């Protein structure tokens, strides 16, 4: 338990100064980092033909975001489909099938990293070490850029002081925000983390697979082929960028990706560091530090509660060993070098942050642990993905503001901007979207057993299917492994869910912020709703719980809750 407290304390201690630093980077004001990075960024702007002085409304910002994703997606698909004829393939790995190439391209394009392939066996160094790693840098920077633009819109845009009411507002320049995120945040942090991981024994080489003699000379197998590569650099950004897609199929449970307790602690801190920092960034961007504190506390309440429940669950016996062995913690699917507690911590944080990387197999978690991991993804606003997580959190804030305004008899407003019918209609569509998508695709898949690829019967089988679609929609990427997901059905259906779960929850809040930005600012008075208060924080917690309970409680009852009750009837906790 001490390790859990220490890891979380270090993460918070690092996140606060990082958030303040990012506030300066995106504020548009002179910043100490300009002296080092301005010359580099000017070269990048010239190379891609961008005028950094051009301002964008929410519409032009959103179009730039979507077009850049489309171009990157086409390039990614072509590289994956034709990797066998491209360079940097010393092991002679063949091409991916069209549906797997499409799923992989969209998965990494959406900052999800859901893997229906085994990295070391099916991707070349060009595909994995160059394409995938590039997307792992660029896609979180894109999400962060959209979040920054939305925050600017929430306080009237960059031209608030001299723009007229009803006039479209300046939300920044998309390309400038992406480049700044890359050069000033992601690349420097990833370089530091990669060096630390390499020092712990994570491979960092472009040599081909290594052939080594086995330790047991009496065994029939005397030689083993071990895939290596530039693993440390990929793992660093996989964690920092809430990506999650690992070099090896078993992800960070593989000893080459995560060899020591030190590397495990560093990777755990890295997966939550920037999402926590974004919360403090938000308080600075809207010029209300107390709002950032309130947001952090609400997220922390959920985070700590989920961690506690998951740790408790994994300290209970595993039902599979009931009456077969001495009672003890659930060690199934765990690495002995980490144990149930640190595995539970990672599993909870990775599903709260939309990271999706694993150091244990979530399919082997006890039912309550499995419920907590998927609950983090369903809320999708506890730290969340970089940028996208706080955007999702703001959706809950807007809804809580609307409901609170109705209860006190005032027109709902946030930061002096009215939340009216048009905005609430758009927010309503985002509330029902995950319900329709997740329950719809789960129902279709479960109704046609030939499509599912389940490795378990009963309640757990439903959990496997629901978890896979939840992971795709929440841009998380983790899975209840054991599911046979490399099929045309799973690849194509998950592509649809990936696209719906990434772009609508980013573009619609950006549009709402853009529409609210051009409204007249209402002066703050004693009757104004304080979103920094304890009362509003409690209301926000209640709104988040109620919305998710109403939407997904029946699915939980026929999944992990049903499984837990079934095991309880047999006298097994978990």
């Amino acid at each position: 338990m001490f390790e859990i407290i220490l890891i979380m304390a270090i993460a918070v201690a690092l996140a606060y100064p990082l958030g303040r630093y990012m506030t300066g980077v995106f504020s548009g004001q002179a910043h100490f980092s300009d002296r080092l990075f301005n010359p580099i960024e000017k070269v990048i702007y010239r190379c891609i033909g961008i005028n950094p002085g051009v301002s964008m409304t929410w519409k032009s910002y959103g179009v730039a975001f979507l077009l850049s994703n489309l171009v990157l997606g086409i390039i990614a698909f072509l590289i994956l489909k034709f990797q066998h004829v491209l360079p940097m393939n010393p092991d002679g790995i063949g091409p991916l099938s069209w549906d797997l190439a499409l799923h992989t391209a969209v998965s990494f394009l959406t900052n999800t990293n859901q893997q229906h392939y085994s990295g070391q066996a099916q991707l070349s160094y060009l595909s994995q070490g160059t394409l995938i790693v590039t997307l792992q840098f660029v896609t979180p920077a894109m999400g962060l850029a959209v979040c920054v633009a939305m925050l600017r819109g929430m306080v009237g845009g960059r031209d608030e002081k001299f723009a007229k009411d009803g006039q479209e507002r300046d939300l920044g320049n998309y390309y400038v925000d992406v480049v700044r995120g890359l050069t000033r945040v992601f690349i420097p942090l990833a370089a530091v983390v990669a060096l630390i991981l390499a020092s712990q024994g994570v491979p960092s080489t472009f040599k081909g697979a290594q052939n080594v003699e086995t330790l047991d000379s009496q065994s029939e197998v005397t030689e083993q082929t071990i895939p290596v590569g530039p693993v440390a650099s990929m793992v660093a950004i996989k964690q920092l960028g809430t990506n999650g897609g690992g070099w090896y199929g078993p992800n960070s449970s593989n000893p080459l990706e995560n060899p020591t307790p030190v590397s495990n602690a560093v990777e755990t801190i890295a997966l939550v560091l920037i999402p926590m920092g974004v919360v403090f960034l938000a308080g600075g961007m809207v010029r209300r530090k107390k709002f950032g504190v309130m947001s952090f506390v609400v997220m922390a309440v959920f985070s700590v509660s989920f961690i506690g429940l998951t740790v408790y669950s994994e300290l209970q016996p595993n039902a599979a060993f009931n009456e077969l062995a001495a009672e003890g913690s659930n060690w199934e699917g765990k690495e002995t070098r980490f144990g149930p507690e640190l595995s539970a911590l990672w599993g909870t944080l990775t599903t709260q942050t939309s990271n999706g990387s694993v150091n244990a197999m979530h399919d082997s978690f006890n039912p309550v642990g499995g419920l907590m991991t998927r609950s983090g993804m369903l809320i999708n606003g506890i730290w969340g993905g970089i940028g996208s997580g706080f955007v999702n959190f703001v959706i809950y804030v807007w809804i809580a503001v609307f409901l609170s305004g109705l209860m006190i008899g005032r027109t709902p407003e946030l930061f002096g901007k009215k939340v009216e019918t048009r905005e609430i209609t758009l927010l309503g569509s985002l509330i029902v979207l995950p319900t329709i998508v997740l329950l719809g695709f789960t129902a279709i898949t479960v109704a046609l057993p030939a499509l599912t690829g389940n490795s378990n019967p009963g309640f757990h089988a439903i959990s496997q299917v629901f978890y896979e679609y939840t992971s795709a929609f929440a841009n998380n990427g983790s899975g209840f492994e054991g599911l046979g997901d490399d099929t045309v059905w799973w690849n194509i259906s998950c592509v649809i869910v990936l696209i719906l779960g990434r772009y609508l929850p980013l573009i619609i809040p950006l549009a709402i912020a853009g529409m609210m930005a051009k409204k007249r600012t209402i002066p703050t008075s004693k009757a104004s709703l304080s979103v920094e208060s304890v009362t509003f924080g409690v209301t926000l917690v209640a709104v988040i719980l109620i919305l998710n309970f109403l939407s997904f409680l029946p699915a939980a009852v026929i999944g992990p809750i049903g499984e837990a009750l079934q095991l309880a009837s047999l006298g097994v906790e978990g």
Side-chain angles (χ1 to χ4, degrees), residues 48 50 60-76 109 135 138-139 141-143 145-146 174-175 178 502-503:
I48 61 178
I50 296 302
S60 53
Y61 203 103
V63 168
F65 168 65
L66 293 174
L67 285 179
S68 62
N69 276 256
L70 178 61
V71 172
L72 280 175
I74 293 172
I75 294 172
L109 184 68
L135 291 176
V138 174
T139 58
M142 291 173 169
V146 173
Y174 167 74
Y175 300 103
V178 171
R502 173 67 169 181
Y503 297 108

Side-chain angles (χ1 to χ4, degrees), residues 198-267:
S199 74
Q200 294 299 302
V202 179
S204 185
T205 177
F206 279 100
K207 293 181 179 179
Q210 304 295 298
N211 295 315
V212 298
E213 294 183 1
T214 58
L215 295 176
D216 186 359
S217 59
Q218 305 301 318
S219 172
E220 294 182 2
V221 179
T222 59
E223 188 176 79
Q224 182 180 1
T225 300
I226 301 177
V228 291
V231 182
S233 59
M234 181 177 183
V235 173
I237 190 58
K238 141 193 149 178
Q239 296 301 95
L240 287 166
T242 60
N243 291 293
W247 188 276
Y248 298 98
N251 210 274
S252 283
S253 64
N254 187 300
L256 291 179
E257 274 199 28
N258 190 8
T260 69
V262 172
S263 69
N264 187 72
V266 170
E267 291 182 31

Side-chain angles (χ1 to χ4, degrees), residues 9-69:
I10 293 173
V12 174
L14 293 175
Y16 178 71
L18 176 61
R20 293 191 63 182
Y21 168 75
M22 289 192 293
T23 301
V25 166
F26 294 106
S27 66
Q29 305 298 320
H31 191 251
F32 71 85
S33 63
D34 293 344
R35 185 173 299 179
L36 174 62
F37 293 107
N38 272 349
I40 299 171
E41 291 166 357
K42 287 179 181 178
V43 174
I44 296 174
Y45 298 144
R46 290 195 193 101
C47 291
I48 61 178
I50 296 302
N51 179 0
V54 174
S55 61
M56 294 182 175
T57 65
W58 77 264
K59 293 179 181 178
S60 53
Y61 203 103
V63 168
F65 168 65
L66 293 174
L67 285 179
S68 62
N69 276 256

Side-chain angles (χ1 to χ4, degrees), residues 362-381:
H362 293 183
D363 189 47
S364 298
F365 278 18
N366 282 325
V368 173
L371 177 63
M372 290 300 100
T373 57
R374 84 177 200 174
S375 295
M377 293 188 292
L378 289 171
I379 292 175
N380 206 14

